[in-house]
Amino acid sequence: SSDVCSSDLPPELGLQVIQGYVQGDPVVQQRMQNQNDPFGQRITKLMKQLQFQIQQRQNARIGRLGA
């Protein structure tokens, strides 16, 4: 599958790669600022999904260790 979120890679790595891609390409930055651009919307959605996965992992660790 081409879905990055469903891969076996840690979400932290996926987020880091995407952030590097966005920061390194002014065209991508412009497209992400345009709320009507489907490409920018997909990148933003993917980043949010990865951030959510990271938060879920942290919550699971906290749950195992106790607050």
Side-chain angles (χ1 to χ4, degrees):
S1 168
S2 63
D3 186 0
V4 175
C5 287
S6 67
S7 73
D8 291 332
L9 293 176
E12 295 85 356
L13 179 59
L15 187 60
Q16 186 177 8
V17 169
I18 292 171
Q19 287 173 336
Y21 171 65
V22 170
Q23 291 170 358
D25 192 333
V27 174
V28 173
Q29 292 171 17
Q30 288 176 347
R31 291 186 72 179
M32 288 186 66
Q33 290 174 0
N34 178 358
Q35 295 181 353
N36 296 321
D37 188 324
F39 173 78
Q41 291 172 346
R42 283 194 304 271
I43 296 294
T44 300
K45 180 180 176 184
L46 180 56
M47 289 176 72
K48 287 179 181 179
Q49 289 173 338
L50 290 166
Q51 288 166 342
F52 180 76
Q53 288 179 3
I54 291 167
Q55 185 63 51
Q56 291 295 87
R57 283 180 168 212
Q58 291 170 345
N59 290 346
R61 273 188 229 118
I62 291 168
R64 281 194 301 273
L65 298 175

